[in-house]
Amino acid sequence: MASASPIIGFDEFAAYLNKIFKITLSDIKILIREFHTEMQKGLTGYESSLKMIPSYVDRPNGKEKGQYIALDLGGTNFRVLSVELDGRGNASVTAVSKFAIDIADMQGTAEQLFGFIANCIHQFIEENQLDKRIQYDLAFTFSFPVDQTNIAAGKLLVWTKGFTAKGVEGEDVIVLLNEALKKKDIHCIRVAALANDTVGTLVARSYKDPSCDLGVILGTGTNACYPEKLVNIQKWRGLDPKGHMIINMEWGNFNKLRLTNYDKDLDLASPNTGAQFLEKMVSGMYLGEITRLVVQDMIHRGLIFLGSKCTAFEKKGSLLTENMSLVAEDNSANLGEVEFFLKSKGITNITAHDKNILKHVCDLVSTRAAKISGGSIAAVLSWMDPELKNKHTVGIDGSLFEKYPGFARKIKATCKDVFGENALNIEIVHAKDGSGKGAAIIAAVAAQSEK
Ligand code: BGC
């Protein structure tokens, strides 16, 4: 429970909340400096909260061609896709199946999770009547921190986003996938590439737009990747000194941010305490929970719902980021959505004051998240191009970016605050479905280089 500071009245408490959630331009400038220090350490191979993981892939040239199967694991759903690359910069999804992942599979064992994946692939093959005499190249988007050792191999470093399946951390996920495919008698699939979702997003966007040099996910979790000069990756010196390699930053683990007591409580109650601090302040899996902790604190202090000791928000997970989106969307004078949401929680005697407070808390929590996201984007762009002289397209995917009202606008405003007029060189685009398509392109790059 967030420790109760000696604040009693509503006005003082509101001022306190405004203060602890506020992110100023000077905070953003500090964030950028700290990001650069951590990036440098991560690239050199020193201990850093930014893992800066080489992906073994550079941006594509747009000529990659063929049909590929892609798997996308990383959030609440698992997807199997068939992707067609036309060799002229167009990637289209020709078939897709989406499967909800059971908590039992997420938090059970490696056999269960990879068995589930193999079952989904089997179903996809049957439903789409794939010709089993052909060998299909498959790309696996596995959106967790993986220490990659080549384009189709890598060990899971640590689980994030509520996954805890035993027997996967420290193991090569491609070996686990191949074992599961074999067990299920699936022989028409060759696993050709392993990719993080950020890398897929960047690759998919840069397939048709060479100015794209930053891929970002703002969804259940958050992370980013960018192409780094090989000479700067001191921990991994490649053969071609002029070349580039995409670096999966794992920025969700950045740990130089000022935490509120609510953030600390959330962290303590999470399965990965002490890790992923930026992710826990920014991404869709956690924003609802931070808001819940604030509301619950206000209930305990008697500052909301007419001082009633209601228990509607006692339970972890009883307020979701989707609920916040609804609340944020509602601009009507009577705040109908907020009323509807509170009623669904069994709260009846709702005042205009309550509705406004809830809306305000959602705004504080989500604005902080958007500003940290914008600051982190500015940090990577200024690392690549300190004066921001060149054009940069930032491809972003994820439900938070796509659906949370005002989130994208606040990211852009933060970049404008940092770079002034030069921010005109930044184009922020929604790179929808990037991770699946991008993985297919990576598989094509891998197949080409094998030839
Ligand atoms: C993972 C990243 C991933 C991000 C977005 C984080 O929890 O560590 O690898 O890219 O979520 O899905």
Side-chain angles (χ1 to χ4, degrees), residues 19 60 91 95 120 177 182 210-211 235 284 321 332 358 378 413 421 433:
K19 184 168 156 229
C120 298
L177 176 61
K182 207 165 146 202
S211 75
K235 65 181 174 187
T321 307
S332 59
L358 189 61
E421 284 311 304
D433 257 350

Side-chain angles (χ1 to χ4, degrees), residues 366-382:
S366 63
T367 301
R368 182 183 69 159
K371 285 192 176 180
I372 294 174
S373 310
S376 308
I377 288 171
V380 188
L381 292 177
S382 59

Side-chain angles (χ1 to χ4, degrees), residues 26-270:
S26 132
D27 293 328
I28 298 281
K29 288 188 175 157
I30 296 171
L31 176 151
I32 293 175
R33 268 208 311 275
E34 300 271 20
F35 241 82
H36 289 176
T37 309
E38 294 293 285
M39 286 171 78
Q40 182 63 60
K41 286 200 284 182
L43 288 171
T44 315
Y46 291 137
E47 183 78 32
S48 167
S49 65
L50 295 178
K51 295 190 183 77
M52 309 298 283
I53 303 170
S55 68
Y56 294 84
V57 71
D58 193 4
R59 283 177 296 167
N61 58 23
K63 299 201 179 100
E64 295 76 9
K65 229 177 148 166
Q67 193 202 349
Y68 296 88
I69 307 290
L71 307 181
D72 193 357
L73 179 80
T76 38
N77 292 306
F78 170 66
R79 293 187 312 154
V80 188
L81 308 95
S82 168
V83 181
E84 192 80 47
L85 310 175
D86 72 356
R88 292 190 302 277
N90 302 307
S92 38
V93 175
T94 51
V96 58
S97 300
K98 199 164 151 179
F99 307 86
I101 311 175
D102 261 15
I103 194 97
D105 292 327
M106 275 167 81
Q107 304 191 339
T109 62
E111 287 71 34
Q112 265 171 276
L113 180 62
F114 283 84
F116 159 77
I117 292 175
N119 284 341
C120 298
I121 298 173
H122 174 75
Q123 197 174 316
F124 182 86
I125 293 173
E126 295 303 320
E127 274 170 11
N128 292 285
Q129 295 171 349
L130 297 192
D131 183 347
K132 292 183 197 135
R133 292 162 305 179
I134 299 176
Q135 266 245 313
Y136 296 89
D137 274 355
L138 177 142
F140 187 16
T141 306
F142 184 75
S143 308
F144 299 94
V146 164
D147 182 16
Q148 261 187 266
T149 42
N150 70 49
I151 201 156
K155 290 181 180 162
L156 173 66
L157 291 167
V158 61
W159 279 122
T160 59
K161 295 179 285 198
F163 278 69
T164 56
K166 285 184 205 65
V168 190
E169 285 179 348
E171 299 300 322
D172 187 327
V173 292
I174 298 299
V175 171
L176 295 177
L177 176 61
N178 277 327
E179 279 171 0
L181 290 173
K182 207 165 146 202
K183 247 192 214 157
K184 187 84 197 159
D185 267 329
I186 302 174
H187 303 288
C188 59
I189 297 280
R190 187 188 77 107
V191 186
L194 171 65
N196 186 262
D197 51 354
T198 54
V199 181
T201 300
L202 172 56
V203 165
R205 182 72 202 189
S206 51
Y207 186 56
K208 61 172 179 198
D209 174 3
S211 75
C212 182
D213 55 6
L214 180 53
V216 177
I217 299 289
L218 286 165
T220 309
T222 184
N223 187 14
C225 72
Y226 71 100
E228 181 58 272
K229 296 186 194 93
L230 287 181
V231 285
N232 288 347
I233 316 175
Q234 279 109 332
K235 65 181 174 187
W236 188 91
R237 288 216 188 253
L239 298 176
D240 170 10
K242 290 203 196 78
H244 285 80
M245 186 187 280
I246 298 174
I247 291 289
N248 165 17
M249 299 178 69
E250 288 295 331
W251 82 12
N253 194 48
F254 181 70
N255 66 2
K256 307 288 171 218
L257 296 161
R258 192 184 65 233
L259 306 180
T260 66
N261 283 337
Y262 305 110
D263 299 309
K264 290 178 192 163
D265 288 346
L266 179 144
D267 177 54
L268 279 177
S270 69

Side-chain angles (χ1 to χ4, degrees), residues 420-433:
E421 284 311 304
N422 286 2
L424 288 173
N425 275 339
I426 308 171
E427 194 185 353
I428 295 184
V429 296
H430 179 205
K432 192 154 179 64
D433 257 350

